[in-house]
Amino acid sequence: MVRSGVRGDRSRPGVRGAGEGGKGWADGPHGAESGPGADEGDNAPVAEPQGHGRHGGGGRGRGSAPGRPRRRRRVLRWSATVLAVLILGTAGAGYLYYEHLNGNIKKDDLNLGDKEIAKPTPNAAGQTPLNILVIGSDARDTKENQQLGGAKETFGGTPLADVQMLVHLSADRSNMSVISMPRDTLLQIPKCTDPDDGKVYQASNGRVMTNQSLGRGGPGCTVATWQELTGIHIDHFMMVDFSGVVSMADAIGGVPVCVTANIYSKDSQGHGSGLKLKEGTTYIKGKQALQWLRTRYGFEDGSDIARAKAQHQYMNAMVRELRENATITNPNKLRKLAEEATDSLTVDDGLGTVAKLYDLSTELRKVAPKRITMTTMPYTYVGARVVPKEGDAEKLFRLVREDIALDGKGKKKATAEQASDDPAAAEDEIGVLVENGTRTSTLAPVSGRASTVTQLLVREGFTKTTADQTSAVSEDETVVRYPSAELEGDAQAVAKALGIPLSQVEKSTNVSGVTLVVGADWREGTAYKAKKENDRTPESADALNGANKKACMQVNPNFTW
């Protein structure tokens, strides 16, 4: 099966909700409204031989009765943000049709990088967060896509990941956080290996635009890029085109969006999506929905940042409409939705069947819109591009890593200093492994840091302490981990000897003995100073609550009528 949106010429029947200028996520070919590569610089797409992915669709999911009307209505009550395509979970009319839908779904490898990011530690109830990377490809890989997107010269070229959104579902399923990364973000893309032909893409030489990651072996390279930048373990990805989302807008009667003035996204040079709306709120669907999602020219300063804000408003409004007004019962309409939704998806193997997608939708719809927070990665301009904003971007990533709700309403991380009932052994009997976790998304690890702290512990009497010289991990905060209750007292003794708060001592099945990870908060010096963290979402993240019905896009005066 060909990987849709990556390469190949898999055609799909019918033109669904296409706006002027195409079905891609950006306003023009590869995000350049004025023509291919118009503002990409050395990011212009390079032609690549077409080939076939090694993963086909199909696979039997956990059998369910996809034709039951009651369940059909119930699935429409889900409350996720960007995953509206999961309507497909109950749209079948029998086993054969169910298998047909499974066959529509395309699959690809989850991670093409060579570095592992540790999974989050379960909470007290044994629950873990769920992180899903949603990718929008700007590929011109079929005759249909080329017809919709224009730019004949880019046909079959290297695709770009022009939309990237990380969806974080909290461990207790009470809240959801979404982080959008502007496609113009400059960062280093890690080494990736194409699973189909074994081609190795070495790490980028310096910083390049993040949307190039998709063309370096597939969506798994985009996942690897996110993981290395944020330190967040990603469980799944979904690569989509807007047809499924637009079809959902049609099915529920449209999605309400708001503009502060009449807008026409088109200038004298032909830049723009063609979106034309009157001031105020309009229910959009079909062509207009796709135009809204692609519009850059006409919103605020005409940047990719403004486009991300418009997408956030649309997704939030769609969730509210699904929860409040969805009453789809027409079998033919549901069948069409299921076809289009499954046909527009490329996922990792862990989401590769209708049943698995339905299970995911069940988890997502537990969150009410008022507990959904949409954000944009804090950024700083470098010329016409952006880079992660020092301090604020890392703080936003930390909040998600630590499963702290971005709306400020969640339970705070436990900080109680509670001594263990397990008595500690003598210092010279406690074995300790010290790891260097000082690497960050922007800084290399401090060489020899594990050895330095090992010597500190030896001087404190922990003579069985050794430094792990094999690898450098990434840990924001210095932490002492232990594998079982009988070693808790030993771990706390190590923490006390170095002045590390007991709140930073945790049980973990990822270690085999007492393990001290020297974090990025202790890159120098011999005395550990615990920082008091502020867990408020940075203002620069431009947070938008899912229940906000008053959000309205600011219209650029040069694009009014």
Side-chain angles (χ1 to χ4, degrees):
M1 181 73 69
V2 174
R3 294 192 308 220
S4 174
V6 180
R7 48 184 177 269
D9 59 355
R10 182 179 185 275
S11 60
R12 294 194 283 269
V15 176
R16 302 183 295 273
E20 181 174 342
K23 175 174 144 182
W25 291 73
D27 282 21
H30 294 270
E33 295 168 297
S34 57
D39 67 346
E40 301 294 342
D42 56 8
N43 190 32
V46 179
E48 182 177 86
Q50 295 184 357
H52 296 279
R54 67 178 180 177
H55 298 299
R60 300 185 185 185
R62 289 181 286 250
S64 58
R68 294 187 302 189
R70 180 181 178 186
R71 194 171 171 198
R72 181 184 300 137
R73 289 191 295 270
R74 178 159 52 89
V75 72
L76 290 170
R77 306 293 301 176
W78 71 290
S79 62
T81 52
V82 296
L83 305 180
V85 291
L86 296 177
I87 179 69
L88 59 93
T90 58
Y95 176 75
L96 291 179
Y97 188 66
Y98 173 79
E99 287 293 280
H100 166 71
L101 293 180
N102 280 340
N104 281 351
I105 302 169
K106 297 159 288 292
K107 297 188 284 289
D108 215 322
D109 286 49
L110 175 61
N111 189 344
L112 304 186
D114 56 6
K115 294 182 180 178
E116 293 291 332
I117 298 295
K119 295 182 179 180
T121 303
N123 63 16
Q127 302 166 304
T128 54
L130 192 61
N131 295 305
I132 306 154
L133 186 64
V134 178
I135 305 168
S137 169
D138 195 33
R140 302 302 198 265
D141 59 348
T142 69
K143 291 182 179 180
E144 179 194 1
N145 278 347
Q146 190 274 318
Q147 180 182 7
L148 294 171
K152 293 181 180 180
E153 62 274 23
T154 67
F155 184 83
T158 304
L160 301 174
D162 271 351
V163 169
Q164 301 172 35
M165 293 182 179
L166 180 67
V167 178
H168 171 84
L169 183 62
S170 67
D172 63 5
R173 306 305 190 248
S174 67
N175 66 90
M176 186 185 301
S177 304
V178 179
I179 302 176
S180 287
M181 184 186 295
R183 62 144 190 161
D184 291 341
T185 301
L186 296 174
L187 46 76
Q188 185 172 46
I189 298 176
K191 173 184 174 182
C192 292
T193 303
D194 191 315
D196 299 327
D197 57 16
K199 180 177 179 179
V200 176
Y201 295 84
Q202 296 298 334
S204 63
N205 184 17
R207 296 186 302 191
V208 298
M209 280 177 62
T210 180
N211 61 359
Q212 292 187 31
S213 59
L214 183 59
R216 298 164 65 89
C221 192
T222 307
V223 169
T225 302
W226 269 80
Q227 287 200 153
E228 292 208 20
L229 173 68
T230 66
I232 298 169
H233 176 82
I234 295 176
D235 302 283
H236 300 290
F237 77 82
M238 299 181 73
M239 187 163 69
V240 300
D241 58 42
F242 273 136
S243 61
V245 179
V246 170
S247 297
M248 179 62 70
D250 291 346
I252 63 178
V255 172
V257 295
C258 177
V259 290
T260 58
N262 294 349
I263 181 174
Y264 181 44
S265 179
K266 189 70 70 176
D267 66 10
S268 58
Q269 285 77 45
H271 300 148
S273 69
L275 177 71
K276 190 172 185 178
L277 294 176
K278 292 183 179 180
E279 177 183 350
T281 299
T282 304
Y283 274 76
I284 60 174
K285 56 183 179 179
K287 179 179 178 179
Q288 283 187 321
L290 186 57
Q291 289 173 333
W292 175 276
L293 293 164
R294 297 177 58 247
T295 293
R296 182 175 62 174
Y297 286 89
F299 286 153
E300 298 185 351
D301 61 356
S303 69
D304 191 56
I305 309 298
R307 177 163 49 201
K309 290 175 64 175
Q311 291 169 357
H312 291 169
Q313 290 186 21
Y314 179 92
M315 297 304 179
N316 281 342
M318 181 173 61
V319 169
R320 295 194 300 267
E321 290 297 304
L322 282 168
R323 290 179 65 91
E324 298 170 6
N325 304 318
T327 57
I328 305 173
T329 58
N330 183 298
N332 289 331
K333 184 173 290 187
L334 280 166
R335 192 151 37 241
K336 181 180 179 182
L337 278 170
E339 290 283 352
E340 293 177 345
T342 52
D343 204 34
S344 68
L345 277 177
T346 301
V347 299
D348 63 279
D349 288 326
L351 292 179
T353 67
V354 169
K356 291 177 180 178
L357 289 168
Y358 179 74
D359 288 344
L360 174 61
S361 74
T362 300
E363 294 297 294
L364 293 168
R365 67 176 182 261
K366 292 177 181 178
V367 182
K370 65 182 179 180
R371 296 305 312 280
I372 297 172
T373 306
M374 308 283 286
T375 65
T376 299
M377 180 198 75
Y379 61 89
T380 301
Y381 275 104
V382 176
R385 309 300 187 205
V386 299
V387 295
K389 184 176 182 179
E390 186 174 353
D392 283 7
E394 175 54 32
K395 180 180 180 180
L396 184 64
F397 300 151
R398 177 185 67 81
L399 294 177
V400 172
R401 278 196 306 269
E402 297 181 3
D403 199 26
I404 297 173
L406 298 186
D407 61 7
K409 298 178 182 178
K411 295 180 180 179
K412 298 298 182 182
K413 185 174 58 175
T415 58
E417 296 276 326
Q418 185 173 353
S420 172
D421 294 331
D422 172 55
E427 285 85 349
D428 60 358
E429 296 179 1
I430 299 175
V432 185
L433 180 67
V434 181
E435 295 182 345
N436 185 348
T438 57
R439 177 171 61 88
T440 73
S441 59
T442 57
L443 297 173
V446 178
S447 178
R449 193 62 183 152
S451 297
T452 299
V453 176
T454 293
Q455 292 305 312
L456 293 177
L457 280 173
V458 170
R459 286 198 291 270
E460 291 291 331
F462 294 87
T463 55
K464 292 185 177 181
T465 301
T466 58
D468 183 357
Q469 306 288 356
T470 60
S471 62
V473 296
S474 179
E475 198 77 48
D476 283 337
E477 188 175 65
T478 298
V479 62
V480 183
R481 296 191 171 105
Y482 60 94
S484 55
E486 59 268 20
L487 291 179
E488 182 180 20
D490 293 357
Q492 290 194 354
V494 171
K496 290 178 181 178
L498 296 174
I500 299 170
L502 296 188
S503 59
Q504 292 167 221
V505 178
E506 61 184 36
K507 185 177 180 180
S508 172
T509 58
N510 294 324
V511 297
S512 57
V514 176
T515 302
L516 167 63
V517 184
V518 183
D521 60 345
W522 197 13
R523 291 176 60 87
E524 60 184 8
T526 57
Y528 180 73
K529 297 180 181 179
K531 295 189 298 183
K532 293 184 178 180
E533 295 286 3
N534 175 358
D535 289 340
R536 290 193 299 270
T537 301
E539 290 186 11
S540 56
D542 201 14
L544 177 65
N545 185 271
N548 184 351
K549 297 183 179 181
K550 297 181 179 180
C552 203
M553 286 303 298
Q554 189 74 31
V555 175
N556 187 311
N558 295 323
F559 290 85
T560 59
W561 56 278

